[in-house]
Each structure stands twice: as structure tokens, then as C-alpha cells.
Amino acid sequence: MSKTYVLRIQSSEGTKRVDITPQDTNKQIYDKVAQTFSLPSTDGFTLYKEKNKRSPVSRSSTKNALKHGDMIYLVPEQENLFPPEVTSSPHVPLDFKSDTPTNGNSYASPKIGSFQSNSIGKMNVSSIDVKEDEVDVQLDKIDGRIPRKRDPQLCHHNIHGKCIHCIPIEPYDEEFLKNRNPPIKHMSFRAYIRKLQSSSHSDRTTFASLENISCSIKDKCPTGHAPWPKGVCTKCQPNPVTLMRQSYRHVDNIMFENGNMVNRFLNYWRLSGHQRIGFLYGRYEVYDGVPLGVRAVIAAIYEPPQETSRDSVKLNLPDPHEALIDDLARRLNVRRIGWIFTDLVPDESKSGGGPVLHHRGNVNSYFLSAQECITAAWLQNKHPNICKCSPDGYFGSKFVTVVVTGDASGQIHFEGYQVSNQCMALEKSKILLPTYDAPELGFIKETSSEQYVPDVYYKEKDSYNNEIMKIARPLPLEYLIIDVPTGFPSADAQIQSTFNDDCASVKTPFCVENRMQIGELQDMNALASYLKQFSKTGATGVTTSSASQYKATDILADIHLLRYLAVNDIISFSMDQLDPLLDSLRTNDLNGVETWMEGSDWQTIVQVLQTQTPGSPELANRPSYMDYEDQTDLASTLSQWNCPRCTFINPGSSRTCEICSCEKGS
């Protein structure tokens, strides 16, 4: 049996492998490539040995001179060489998120770590409709090169000419990034792709292939030997990993739409002294501060169920309402883009001049602990970045991490981070561990009979300034962390908030979910109290001036309120009922919101509020309000509530179940 070689064929549709033998001719290689890429003939493309198209592979019948593992580049010679495949099932956009229903009331919460690369495998990108993010599509259409003005001393040509001193420079130019004020430490991801596409003798039509790192042994080796630990070979074991500081980042800036949403989030710490975690919902947009940059704009913070203390936070997973909140956000044209957590320690002595201590992010401390890096990598793996330049259809992640801590002056400060693609690969294989007594260090798991672990190294300089390789046990986390500038809009910036956090007419915002520990409970009383501030007449019957300062969109544009309307156990709204409202809020259609509030769905909940809160003038519709008559008794049928644990019917005045002591609304 003749020996079989493997060639890697790289094209604009991804990278594929072709098996050949030493006896195969060049013509036979062309035929095998056409068959692998499902092309009708070999006339529409040319194979090259180099990326710059310098050494074409001839089409003759001579024996090939290729070696095992060679990379061959397929360059189309005609347009539409790769037509979309027609199969029995329609193509659907590539989406790695969990299944989320688009209507009705039933939601299945995704499993923890539902994103698994093993189930995805090496996908054929050419047969899948890879739908990149809108911001990536926009950046692909931008030239990206940085224009320069004519230098009066070095440029001797006329005003219409160009020379090496004034021609536009590439977005990845190191000197330009270093000389910016402040300097740009990491190029953008799209600039990194342009750098891969560029060479001295090629143009932007050259393609780039991004392969994801794997630190796991292959389950089924093609050689057919027994699985680990009984057998292993070079074809199934992962390659050693040398940790490098990542030169690019997928997100170049993080911005909160307003400061009020952050104040609502921090109120939990102010009232309890406990730390808090929240998920960030927003969008990605083009960022001009970095060539071909991406900015994450945060519109809302959702606080999942969690157990908090002064020193730690534990998420209660799975979140039963995770799929619902993601669906609400999607219909409002935002999505989950990151997570935020507090690490605030009150400064009792006021030695730092501010309310909190500066205890992380300095030379004597750390930026992210090992456990925080692992959590960030786990979340980034759950939210991969869809990328058509990768054979897998995804590469890296745009999911961001924001830490709320103290700065050098003792003031509350926001720091943004991502972890590198190498860190994501280490976490996906479950080989990165935290250390017990040094939070700034990680540890790579040892190989065992249950799991094969590749060697992981990092470089550092010894006392003689020589660069040496060291095994990553332990591991400095600086190799895995990428910092991202984080801030708020400037005073003169004209940014319209997605929700009503920045609305002047909202004096008392609706309470946030999952805050029973500090006495905040989302129920009908809380809803009535929230709506009361928009009433036409106050409790004494005196007309208030606030009636002319608000709009209907100001009342309902609150993600916490919308979530409560969908999950409350008295009158819960299905997505079909909320769809007209969500469409109107997404398009800022005031008439559409008013029409929905005049409908039967909203009027039903108004009637419930009328019965449960007598004497309170509450919101009925827009532009007018319903003034309720004073009532002396509550309607017993509406004031009662069912215990979610034992289903016992309790009186409305009781906060806990009389049978099992379960709290109301839990």
C-alpha cells in the first residue's frame, strides 16, 4: 500500500484537507481538489504553493513534488466559483446561542456550557450561511487605510500627487498605533485580518484563515488505535501551547449609554455591602478611536439569581428566565454582550480620599483573579464571534468583562477586560485552574488517566536578560488578559438611551429583579408605586406638573418592567401580546405605545391595580389616566396569591406562605 500524504487547501471558503499519494500527478491533484470543494471542473481556479501567487502548481501529468502537510492556496480565476449549494433542507444562519422560542410563554433555559466545540466539529463553512455581526459587515466595506496630509518638507510633488511620505498607511501600522495619544496597545480584530491578508506582492483579495486553538485530545483518531489512556499518537494529541500576549482585541472600547443604569446596579452594594453580578445588554457599533475598531455600547444591566456576600458572589445556574430576557432583548434590538461585577471594599479610615479602597489593578495587586479569568473565558466560549475567515465559522469572542472597583484616589472606577483566545481554549478543555493562595496566578492541570493535557509554556527573562521558556505551573495571568478602555459619554455627546434610565420624568425607577435580600420585591404593589409618579392627579387630588413632562415610551421603556410583565404570576403577558409594544419601543413609535396601552391587555392589568391598591390614581392609558374611586375593601380573588413552591393560596397581605414559609414572588 502506497503512503498517503495530506495537503491543506486554503481558499476564500475555508481550509480543507486532500489526501494524495506520491504517485499522483498534478492533474490528479487538481481533480481531487475540485471534488473536495464540489466544483464542476478544474478550469475555474489555480493552485499556488505560496500565498503571493508566485509559484503556481502546473496542470501537467507529471508526478507531483509536494510534501506531507504542505499548504496550497486555491485562487479563483472566475467570478462565482463557489455557488451556494442546493440541498433538501434550507440553509439557516449560523448561530451558536441556545434555542430560544420566538413566541408563546414556554421557555427552556439553556444548559450550563451549552456551547461545545466538539458537537460543532470541523464544519464545512461553504455549506453554511455564516451571518456575521452587522458591525463586521460594515467594517468589511470600509477601506480602513489612514489618510495622511502632504508634508511640506518631504513631499516635492504637486497637490494631486502622492509619495511614500503622504500615501495612506494601513490600519495595523505599528508606528501609527504607538504614536497615537494615548498609544493604542492592541490593534483591532478587523485590522488584524487585514494584516494577515496583506503581503508585499498581493492585494486585499488575498484571503486569511483563522484556526481555533484546541487543547483537547481527539476522541476518535483516524489511525484506529485505542482511546486515551490506552493509546495516543501525534495525529490525535494537541500541540504544545506557548502563551503569547495577544496583539489584537475583538472589542476596542466599552461605553455605558448613561450613568443612571450603573447607579441602579451599585445601589445593591450601597444598601447591603454585598458584591453583585449583572449581565450587560447592548449592541456593537463602529468605533472611530481605533482604526477599524468596534465599540460595545451598554444599554441595560440584568441581574440574574445569585447568592451574595461581602467577599464573594455565586450565580444560581441555570437561570429560569435567561432565555426570556434574551428574547426580550433581541426584540428590542439589543443582546447580551458582557458581564459586570463589583469588587468594592469600603474605606473606613478614608485614607484614600474616597469611599472605597484601591486594592486591585496596581503594581502590588492584580487586574483579574484566576477564577475571574476562568469565568470570563467560560462566558466568552458561550458567546463566540461569528467569523467567515475561520473554517469553524467562529473565532474568539466579543463578550466583555467590566469590573467595578476603587481607583488610586478612592473613587469608584470601571475597568474593562477580555481574555485571550488562548485562555478561551484552556478553559474549554478544562485545564486552567485557580491557585489557592495567589489569586494573580493560574495553574495548568497535570495529565492524568482521565485527561491528556498538552504542555503549556510561557516566556520570561532571567537575571541575565535572556529569554527562557517556563512551564505554566503556576502561570502569570498577564499573558491571558486584554484591557479594554471603559467609560461614559461626554457631556456634549448626543446619545439617546435605549431605555428610560436617563429619563428626567422617572423619579423612582421600577425595582430590579432578584433583590429580595435588600427588600426590593417585584409585585403589583411595586408596579402601582412605579406608575403612581406618572398619574395625572396626586393622592390628594391636586393636579401635578409631571403630567406634561413624560411620554408613554418613558413609562414602559424599562427592561426590568418588561421582564416583570412577562413573568408575574397574576397576569403574565405572552410574547405575542408584548410584540406590538416591543416593536413600538424599538422604533421609538410613540403612537404605537399609546395604542397598545389603550388595548385590552394593558387595561386588564390596570383593573387589577385598581382593585389591589384602592385610593391610588394609577395609569390607565395615554394621554389620559384613570382616576379610581376610593374603595374600602380589596377584592379577595385578586389579592390572593399562589405559593410557587406548594401552590397554597395565601391572603394578599401575607408576605410569606403560611404552609412552607416561601417568600412571595420568589
Side-chain angles (χ1 to χ4, degrees), residues 266-327:
L266 293 179
N267 280 339
Y268 186 91
W269 172 79
R270 295 187 180 109
L271 295 174
S272 66
H274 291 188
Q275 309 305 329
R276 195 69 171 165
I277 287 179
F279 286 115
L280 306 174
Y281 284 82
R283 62 189 180 277
Y284 300 108
E285 61 182 29
V286 177
Y287 176 54
D288 297 331
V290 175
L292 299 178
V294 174
R295 165 182 274 171
V297 181
I298 300 166
I301 302 176
Y302 164 70
E303 300 178 18
Q306 54 195 285
E307 299 174 12
T308 63
S309 67
R310 298 178 64 89
D311 303 317
S312 64
V313 184
K314 178 183 178 183
L315 289 176
N316 295 331
L317 297 176
D319 180 4
H321 298 140
E322 179 180 359
L324 182 142
I325 197 73
D326 286 346
D327 197 18

Coordinates of all heavy atoms in Angstrom, one line a residue, residues 266-327:
L266 N -25.3 49.7 41.4 CA -24.4 49.9 42.5 C -25.3 50.1 43.8 O -24.7 50.0 44.9 CB -23.5 51.1 42.3 CG -22.4 50.9 41.3 CD1 -21.6 52.2 41.2 CD2 -21.5 49.8 41.6
N267 N -26.5 50.4 43.7 CA -27.4 50.6 44.9 C -27.5 49.4 45.7 O -27.6 49.4 46.9 CB -28.8 51.1 44.4 CG -28.8 52.6 44.1 OD1 -28.0 53.3 44.5 ND2 -29.8 53.0 43.4
Y268 N -27.3 48.2 45.1 CA -27.4 47.0 45.8 C -26.2 46.9 46.8 O -26.3 46.6 48.0 CB -27.3 45.8 44.9 CG -27.5 44.4 45.6 CD1 -28.7 43.9 45.8 CD2 -26.4 43.7 46.1 CE1 -28.9 42.7 46.4 CE2 -26.5 42.5 46.7 CZ -27.8 42.0 46.9 OH -27.9 40.8 47.5
W269 N -25.0 47.3 46.3 CA -23.8 47.3 47.2 C -23.9 48.4 48.2 O -23.6 48.2 49.4 CB -22.6 47.5 46.4 CG -21.3 47.7 47.2 CD1 -20.6 46.8 47.8 CD2 -20.7 49.0 47.5 NE1 -19.6 47.4 48.5 CE2 -19.6 48.7 48.3 CE3 -21.0 50.3 47.2 CZ2 -18.8 49.7 48.8 CZ3 -20.2 51.3 47.6 CH2 -19.1 51.0 48.5
R270 N -24.5 49.5 47.9 CA -24.6 50.6 48.8 C -25.5 50.3 50.0 O -25.3 50.7 51.1 CB -25.1 51.9 48.1 CG -24.1 52.5 47.1 CD -24.6 53.8 46.5 NE -23.7 54.3 45.6 CZ -24.0 54.4 44.3 NH1 -25.1 54.0 43.8 NH2 -23.1 55.0 43.4
L271 N -26.6 49.5 49.7 CA -27.6 49.2 50.7 C -27.2 47.9 51.5 O -27.6 47.8 52.7 CB -29.0 48.9 50.0 CG -29.6 50.2 49.4 CD1 -30.9 49.8 48.7 CD2 -29.9 51.3 50.4
S272 N -26.5 47.0 50.9 CA -26.2 45.7 51.6 C -24.7 45.5 51.9 O -24.4 44.7 52.8 CB -26.7 44.6 50.8 OG -25.9 44.5 49.6
G273 N -23.8 46.2 51.2 CA -22.4 46.0 51.4 C -22.0 44.7 50.7 O -20.8 44.3 50.9
H274 N -22.8 44.0 50.0 CA -22.5 42.8 49.3 C -22.1 43.0 47.8 O -22.6 44.0 47.2 CB -23.7 41.8 49.3 CG -24.0 41.3 50.7 ND1 -24.9 40.3 50.9 CD2 -23.5 41.6 51.9 CE1 -25.0 40.0 52.2 NE2 -24.1 40.8 52.9
Q275 N -21.3 42.2 47.3 CA -20.9 42.3 45.9 C -22.0 41.8 45.0 O -22.9 41.1 45.4 CB -19.6 41.5 45.6 CG -18.5 41.8 46.6 CD -18.1 43.2 46.7 OE1 -18.2 44.0 45.7 NE2 -17.6 43.7 47.9
R276 N -22.0 42.2 43.7 CA -23.1 41.9 42.8 C -22.6 41.6 41.4 O -21.5 42.1 41.0 CB -24.0 43.1 42.8 CG -25.4 42.9 42.1 CD -26.2 42.0 43.0 NE -27.6 41.9 42.5 CZ -28.4 41.0 42.9 NH1 -28.1 40.1 43.8 NH2 -29.7 40.9 42.5
I277 N -23.3 40.7 40.7 CA -23.0 40.4 39.3 C -24.2 40.8 38.4 O -25.4 40.6 38.8 CB -22.7 38.9 39.1 CG1 -21.3 38.6 39.7 CG2 -22.7 38.5 37.7 CD1 -20.9 37.1 39.6
G278 N -23.9 41.3 37.3 CA -25.0 41.6 36.3 C -24.5 41.2 34.9 O -23.3 41.2 34.6
F279 N -25.5 41.0 34.0 CA -25.2 40.8 32.6 C -25.5 42.1 31.8 O -26.5 42.7 32.0 CB -26.0 39.6 32.0 CG -25.5 38.3 32.5 CD1 -26.3 37.4 33.3 CD2 -24.2 37.9 32.1 CE1 -25.8 36.2 33.7 CE2 -23.7 36.6 32.6 CZ -24.5 35.8 33.3
L280 N -24.6 42.4 30.9 CA -24.7 43.6 30.1 C -25.4 43.4 28.8 O -25.1 42.4 28.1 CB -23.3 44.2 29.8 CG -22.4 44.4 31.1 CD1 -21.0 44.8 30.6 CD2 -23.0 45.4 32.0
Y281 N -26.4 44.2 28.5 CA -27.2 44.1 27.2 C -27.0 45.4 26.4 O -27.0 46.5 27.0 CB -28.7 43.8 27.5 CG -29.0 42.4 27.9 CD1 -28.8 42.0 29.2 CD2 -29.4 41.5 27.0 CE1 -29.1 40.7 29.6 CE2 -29.6 40.2 27.3 CZ -29.5 39.8 28.7 OH -29.7 38.5 29.0
G282 N -26.7 45.2 25.2 CA -26.4 46.4 24.3 C -26.2 46.0 22.9 O -26.8 45.0 22.4
R283 N -25.3 46.7 22.3 CA -25.0 46.5 20.8 C -23.6 46.8 20.5 O -22.9 47.4 21.3 CB -26.0 47.4 20.0 CG -25.7 48.9 20.2 CD -26.7 49.7 19.6 NE -26.5 51.2 19.9 CZ -26.9 51.8 21.0 NH1 -27.5 51.1 21.9 NH2 -26.6 53.1 21.1
Y284 N -23.1 46.4 19.3 CA -21.8 46.7 18.9 C -21.9 47.7 17.7 O -22.8 47.6 16.9 CB -21.1 45.4 18.4 CG -20.9 44.4 19.4 CD1 -21.6 43.2 19.4 CD2 -20.0 44.6 20.4 CE1 -21.5 42.2 20.3 CE2 -19.8 43.6 21.4 CZ -20.6 42.4 21.4 OH -20.4 41.4 22.3
E285 N -21.0 48.7 17.7 CA -21.0 49.7 16.7 C -19.6 50.0 16.3 O -18.6 49.7 17.0 CB -21.8 50.9 17.1 CG -21.2 51.6 18.3 CD -22.0 52.8 18.7 OE1 -23.2 52.9 18.5 OE2 -21.4 53.8 19.3
V286 N -19.4 50.7 15.2 CA -18.1 51.1 14.7 C -17.5 52.1 15.6 O -18.2 53.1 16.0 CB -18.2 51.6 13.2 CG1 -16.8 52.1 12.8 CG2 -18.7 50.5 12.3
Y287 N -16.3 52.0 16.0 CA -15.6 52.9 16.9 C -14.5 53.6 16.1 O -13.6 53.0 15.6 CB -15.0 52.1 18.1 CG -14.2 52.9 19.0 CD1 -14.7 54.1 19.6 CD2 -12.9 52.5 19.4 CE1 -14.0 54.8 20.5 CE2 -12.2 53.3 20.3 CZ -12.7 54.4 20.9 OH -12.0 55.2 21.7
D288 N -14.5 54.9 16.1 CA -13.5 55.7 15.3 C -12.2 55.9 16.1 O -11.3 56.4 15.5 CB -14.1 57.1 15.0 CG -15.4 56.9 14.1 OD1 -15.4 56.0 13.3 OD2 -16.3 57.8 14.1
G289 N -12.2 55.6 17.4 CA -10.9 55.9 18.1 C -9.8 54.9 17.8 O -8.7 55.2 18.1
V290 N -10.1 53.8 17.1 CA -9.1 52.8 16.7 C -9.4 52.5 15.3 O -10.6 52.3 14.9 CB -9.2 51.6 17.6 CG1 -8.2 50.5 17.1 CG2 -8.8 51.9 19.0
P291 N -8.4 52.4 14.4 CA -8.7 52.0 13.0 C -9.4 50.7 12.9 O -9.0 49.7 13.5 CB -7.3 51.9 12.4 CG -6.4 52.8 13.2 CD -7.0 52.7 14.6
L292 N -10.6 50.7 12.2 CA -11.5 49.5 12.1 C -11.9 49.0 13.4 O -12.0 47.8 13.6 CB -10.8 48.5 11.2 CG -10.4 48.8 9.8 CD1 -9.7 47.7 9.1 CD2 -11.6 49.2 9.0
G293 N -12.1 49.9 14.4 CA -12.4 49.4 15.7 C -13.9 49.1 16.0 O -14.8 49.5 15.2
V294 N -14.2 48.4 17.1 CA -15.5 48.0 17.5 C -15.8 48.5 18.9 O -14.9 48.4 19.8 CB -15.7 46.5 17.4 CG1 -17.1 46.1 18.0 CG2 -15.6 46.0 16.0
R295 N -16.9 49.1 19.1 CA -17.3 49.6 20.5 C -18.5 48.8 20.9 O -19.4 48.6 20.2 CB -17.6 51.1 20.4 CG -18.3 51.6 21.7 CD -18.6 53.1 21.6 NE -17.5 53.9 22.0 CZ -17.5 55.2 21.9 NH1 -18.5 55.8 21.2 NH2 -16.4 55.9 22.3
A296 N -18.5 48.4 22.2 CA -19.6 47.8 22.9 C -20.4 48.8 23.6 O -19.8 49.5 24.5 CB -19.1 46.7 23.8
V297 N -21.6 49.1 23.2 CA -22.4 50.1 23.9 C -23.5 49.4 24.7 O -24.3 48.6 24.3 CB -23.2 51.0 22.8 CG1 -24.0 52.0 23.5 CG2 -22.2 51.6 21.9
I298 N -23.4 49.7 26.0 CA -24.2 49.0 27.0 C -25.5 49.8 27.3 O -25.5 51.0 27.6 CB -23.5 48.8 28.3 CG1 -22.2 48.0 28.1 CG2 -24.3 48.1 29.4 CD1 -21.2 48.0 29.2
A299 N -26.7 49.2 27.1 CA -28.0 49.8 27.3 C -28.7 49.4 28.6 O -29.5 50.2 29.0 CB -28.9 49.5 26.1
A300 N -28.4 48.2 29.1 CA -29.1 47.8 30.3 C -28.3 46.8 31.0 O -27.4 46.1 30.5 CB -30.5 47.2 29.9
I301 N -28.6 46.6 32.3 CA -27.9 45.6 33.2 C -29.0 44.7 33.8 O -29.9 45.2 34.5 CB -27.1 46.2 34.3 CG1 -26.0 47.2 33.7 CG2 -26.4 45.2 35.2 CD1 -25.2 47.9 34.7
Y302 N -28.9 43.4 33.5 CA -29.8 42.4 34.1 C -29.1 41.7 35.2 O -28.0 41.2 35.0 CB -30.3 41.5 33.0 CG -31.0 40.2 33.5 CD1 -32.2 40.3 34.2 CD2 -30.3 39.0 33.4 CE1 -32.8 39.1 34.7 CE2 -30.9 37.8 33.9 CZ -32.2 37.9 34.5 OH -32.8 36.8 35.0
E303 N -29.8 41.5 36.3 CA -29.2 40.9 37.5 C -29.8 39.5 37.7 O -30.9 39.4 38.1 CB -29.4 41.7 38.7 CG -28.7 43.1 38.6 CD -29.0 44.0 39.8 OE1 -29.3 43.5 40.9 OE2 -28.8 45.2 39.7
P304 N -29.1 38.4 37.4 CA -29.6 37.1 37.5 C -29.7 36.6 38.9 O -29.1 37.3 39.8 CB -28.6 36.2 36.7 CG -27.3 37.0 36.9 CD -27.7 38.5 36.9
P305 N -30.4 35.5 39.2 CA -30.4 35.0 40.6 C -29.0 34.7 41.1 O -28.2 34.1 40.4 CB -31.3 33.7 40.5 CG -32.1 33.9 39.2 CD -31.2 34.7 38.3
Q306 N -28.7 35.1 42.3 CA -27.3 34.9 42.8 C -27.3 35.0 44.4 O -28.2 35.6 45.0 CB -26.4 36.0 42.3 CG -26.9 37.4 42.5 CD -26.2 38.4 41.6 OE1 -25.0 38.8 41.9 NE2 -26.8 38.9 40.6
E307 N -26.3 34.4 44.9 CA -26.1 34.4 46.4 C -24.9 35.4 46.6 O -23.8 35.1 46.1 CB -25.9 33.1 46.9 CG -27.0 32.1 46.7 CD -26.7 30.7 47.2 OE1 -25.6 30.5 47.9 OE2 -27.5 29.8 46.9
T308 N -25.1 36.4 47.4 CA -24.1 37.4 47.6 C -23.6 37.5 49.0 O -24.3 37.1 49.9 CB -24.6 38.8 47.2 OG1 -25.7 39.2 48.0 CG2 -25.2 38.8 45.7
S309 N -22.4 38.0 49.1 CA -21.8 38.3 50.5 C -20.8 39.4 50.3 O -20.7 40.0 49.2 CB -21.1 37.0 51.0 OG -19.9 36.7 50.2
R310 N -20.1 39.8 51.4 CA -19.2 40.9 51.3 C -18.0 40.6 50.4 O -17.3 41.5 49.9 CB -18.8 41.3 52.7 CG -19.9 41.8 53.6 CD -19.4 42.2 54.9 NE -18.5 43.3 54.9 CZ -18.9 44.6 55.0 NH1 -20.2 44.9 55.1 NH2 -18.0 45.5 55.0
D311 N -17.7 39.3 50.3 CA -16.4 38.9 49.6 C -16.6 38.1 48.4 O -15.6 37.8 47.7 CB -15.5 38.2 50.6 CG -15.2 39.0 51.9 OD1 -14.9 40.2 51.7 OD2 -15.3 38.4 53.0
S312 N -17.8 37.6 48.1 CA -18.0 36.7 47.0 C -19.4 36.7 46.5 O -20.3 37.2 47.1 CB -17.7 35.2 47.4 OG -18.6 34.8 48.4
V313 N -19.6 36.2 45.3 CA -20.9 36.1 44.6 C -20.9 34.7 44.0 O -20.0 34.2 43.4 CB -21.1 37.2 43.6 CG1 -22.5 37.1 43.0 CG2 -20.9 38.5 44.1
K314 N -22.1 34.1 44.1 CA -22.3 32.8 43.5 C -23.6 32.8 42.6 O -24.7 33.1 43.1 CB -22.4 31.7 44.5 CG -22.7 30.3 43.9 CD -22.9 29.2 45.0 CE -23.2 27.9 44.4 NZ -23.4 26.8 45.5
L315 N -23.4 32.6 41.3 CA -24.6 32.6 40.4 C -25.4 31.3 40.6 O -24.8 30.2 40.7 CB -24.2 32.7 39.0 CG -23.6 34.0 38.5 CD1 -23.1 33.9 37.1 CD2 -24.6 35.1 38.6
N316 N -26.7 31.4 40.7 CA -27.6 30.3 40.8 C -28.0 29.9 39.4 O -28.9 30.4 38.8 CB -28.9 30.6 41.6 CG -28.5 30.9 43.1 OD1 -27.6 30.4 43.6 ND2 -29.3 31.8 43.7
L317 N -27.3 28.9 38.9 CA -27.5 28.4 37.5 C -28.2 27.1 37.5 O -28.0 26.3 38.4 CB -26.1 28.3 36.8 CG -25.4 29.7 36.6 CD1 -24.0 29.4 35.9 CD2 -26.2 30.6 35.7
P318 N -29.0 26.8 36.5 CA -29.4 27.7 35.4 C -30.4 28.8 35.8 O -31.2 28.5 36.7 CB -29.9 26.8 34.3 CG -30.5 25.7 35.1 CD -29.6 25.5 36.3
D319 N -30.4 29.9 35.1 CA -31.4 31.0 35.4 C -32.6 30.6 34.6 O -32.6 30.5 33.4 CB -30.8 32.3 34.9 CG -31.8 33.5 35.0 OD1 -32.8 33.3 35.7 OD2 -31.4 34.6 34.6
P320 N -33.8 30.5 35.4 CA -35.0 30.1 34.7 C -35.5 31.1 33.7 O -36.3 30.7 32.8 CB -36.0 29.9 35.8 CG -35.5 30.7 36.9 CD -34.0 30.7 36.8
H321 N -35.1 32.3 33.8 CA -35.6 33.4 32.9 C -34.5 33.9 31.9 O -34.7 34.9 31.3 CB -36.1 34.6 33.7 CG -37.3 34.2 34.6 ND1 -37.4 34.7 35.9 CD2 -38.3 33.4 34.4 CE1 -38.5 34.2 36.4 NE2 -39.1 33.4 35.5
E322 N -33.4 33.2 31.8 CA -32.4 33.6 30.9 C -32.8 33.7 29.5 O -32.6 34.7 28.7 CB -31.2 32.7 31.0 CG -30.0 33.0 30.1 CD -28.8 32.1 30.2 OE1 -28.9 31.2 31.1 OE2 -27.8 32.3 29.5
A323 N -33.5 32.6 29.0 CA -34.0 32.6 27.6 C -35.0 33.7 27.4 O -35.0 34.4 26.3 CB -34.6 31.3 27.3
L324 N -35.8 34.0 28.3 CA -36.9 35.0 28.2 C -36.2 36.4 28.1 O -36.6 37.2 27.2 CB -37.8 35.0 29.4 CG -39.0 36.0 29.3 CD1 -40.3 35.3 29.8 CD2 -38.7 37.2 30.1
I325 N -35.3 36.7 28.9 CA -34.7 38.0 28.9 C -33.9 38.2 27.6 O -33.8 39.3 27.1 CB -33.8 38.3 30.2 CG1 -33.5 39.7 30.4 CG2 -32.5 37.5 30.1 CD1 -34.6 40.6 30.8
D326 N -33.2 37.1 27.1 CA -32.5 37.2 25.9 C -33.5 37.5 24.7 O -33.2 38.2 23.8 CB -31.7 36.0 25.6 CG -30.5 35.9 26.5 OD1 -30.1 36.9 27.1 OD2 -29.9 34.8 26.6
D327 N -34.7 36.9 24.8 CA -35.7 37.1 23.7 C -36.2 38.5 23.8 O -36.4 39.1 22.7 CB -36.8 36.0 23.9 CG -37.6 35.9 22.6 OD1 -37.1 36.3 21.5 OD2 -38.7 35.4 22.7

